[in-house]
């Protein structure tokens, strides 16, 4: 049986757990030094995953930026960029978003069964659309990524995706960057939403590393997912 990818979830948040504010502009919680660290982590992975909400809101490229890191990937026989992965329930994705139009690596879209055929037609030539069940099965998605040769998957949000992965016990490692301010707006998105999490006071994550990055703190946890 093909092994599922090792899942590394990466997130930056305020001290009070918010990943953005409620304004139209994207709030930058990280610094240039931390963005470079994230680029280095990306370069060590095979694929990167964000939710469809992040694709719509942030229009990210999700590319490895450093030319030296790209060159090292090529020297190891890998694509300079990671396979891009997104998950959508509604199928509301713009084929012209930068997720689809940048980078030469494969783009994979996992979606619920009812809309899979229609979405495949709309994204034809831009991405491969995979029927992931109804509702979408995250374990089945990871199984499929494993079959495709993805050994290390980086998950970058947003909060709904974090919540699904964490509650399902599918995260192996968590990189949590804490910014030195608070948001305090209940309408702003948080790191995770409500849910029943396997990580509890009786079963905590293991803090493996604490790194200072200027005024930011990087907390690296080994989660010990259930891989349900």
């Amino acid at each position: 049986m093909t092994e599922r990818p090792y899942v590394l979830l990466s997130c930056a948040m305020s001290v009070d757990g918010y990943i953005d504010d409620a304004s139209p502009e994207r709030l930058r919680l990280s610094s240039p030094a931390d963005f470079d660290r994230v680029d280095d982590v990306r370069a060590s992975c095979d694929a990167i995953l964000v939710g469809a909400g992040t694709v719509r809101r942030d229009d990210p490229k999700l590319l490895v930026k450093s030319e030296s890191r790209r060159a090292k990937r090529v020297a190891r026989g890998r694509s300079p960029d990671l396979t891009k992965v997104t998950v959508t329930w509604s199928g509301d994705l713009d084929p012209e978003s930068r997720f689809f139009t940048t980078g030469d690596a494969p783009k994979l879209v996992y979606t619920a069964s009812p809309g899979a055929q229609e979405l495949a037609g709309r994204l034809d030539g831009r991405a491969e659309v995979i029927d992931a069940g109804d509702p979408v099965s995250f374990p089945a998605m990871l199984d499929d990524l494993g079959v495709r040769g993805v050994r290390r998957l980086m998950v970058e949000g947003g909060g709904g995706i974090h919540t699904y992965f964490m509650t399902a016990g599918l995260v192996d490692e968590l990189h949590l960057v804490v910014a030195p301010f608070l948001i305090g707006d209940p309408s702003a998105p948080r790191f995770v939403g409500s849910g029943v999490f396997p990580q509890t006071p009786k079963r905590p994550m293991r803090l493996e590393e604490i790194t200072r990055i200027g005024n930011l703190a990087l907390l690296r946890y080994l989660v010990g997912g259930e891989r349900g």
Side-chain angles (χ1 to χ4, degrees), residues 45-49 62 73 79 81-85 99 105-108 145 148 150 153:
C45 296
D46 302 303
I48 185 167
L49 182 149
L62 303 178
R73 286 177 60 89
S79 165
D81 291 308
L82 285 68
T83 295
K84 299 183 194 179
V85 184
F99 179 96
K107 288 88 176 176
L108 306 176
L145 288 172
R148 295 169 185 270
V150 174
L153 172 68

Side-chain angles (χ1 to χ4, degrees), residues 46-205:
D46 302 303
I48 185 167
L49 182 149
V50 296
T54 297
V55 174
R56 290 190 294 268
R57 182 180 64 251
D58 298 341
D59 194 22
K61 294 180 181 179
L62 303 178
L63 305 177
V64 175
K65 297 177 181 178
S66 164
E67 289 301 327
S68 64
R69 291 175 187 134
R70 295 171 66 85
K72 287 177 183 177
R73 286 177 60 89
V74 172
R76 295 195 296 266
R78 304 166 78 183
S79 165
D81 291 308
L82 285 68
T83 295
K84 299 183 194 179
V85 184
T86 191
V87 186
T88 177
W89 285 261
S90 67
D92 181 15
L93 287 168
D94 181 358
E96 299 304 317
S97 69
R98 295 190 295 183
F99 179 96
F100 300 109
T101 61
T102 60
D104 295 325
K107 288 88 176 176
L108 306 176
V109 178
Y110 291 87
T111 191
S113 302
Q117 186 172 355
E118 187 275 335
L119 184 59
R122 202 150 43 81
L123 295 179
D124 186 36
R126 295 290 197 196
E128 180 180 352
V129 175
I130 300 102
D131 182 340
D134 188 18
V136 171
S137 169
F138 278 61
M141 177 180 66
L142 290 181
D143 288 339
D144 185 68
L145 288 172
V147 170
R148 295 169 185 270
V150 174
R151 296 293 171 260
R152 189 172 172 88
L153 172 68
M154 188 172 185
V155 176
E156 286 197 8
I161 291 293
H162 297 161
T163 304
Y164 276 100
F165 270 92
M166 294 295 289
T167 55
L170 295 173
V171 176
D172 297 291
E173 185 172 337
L174 170 63
H175 291 188
L176 195 59
V177 168
V178 182
F181 50 79
L182 295 87
I183 303 299
D185 185 344
S187 65
R190 302 191 70 115
F191 165 48
V192 292
S194 300
V196 179
F197 296 90
Q199 305 82 29
T200 66
K202 292 184 178 179
R203 193 179 175 211
M205 300 181 291

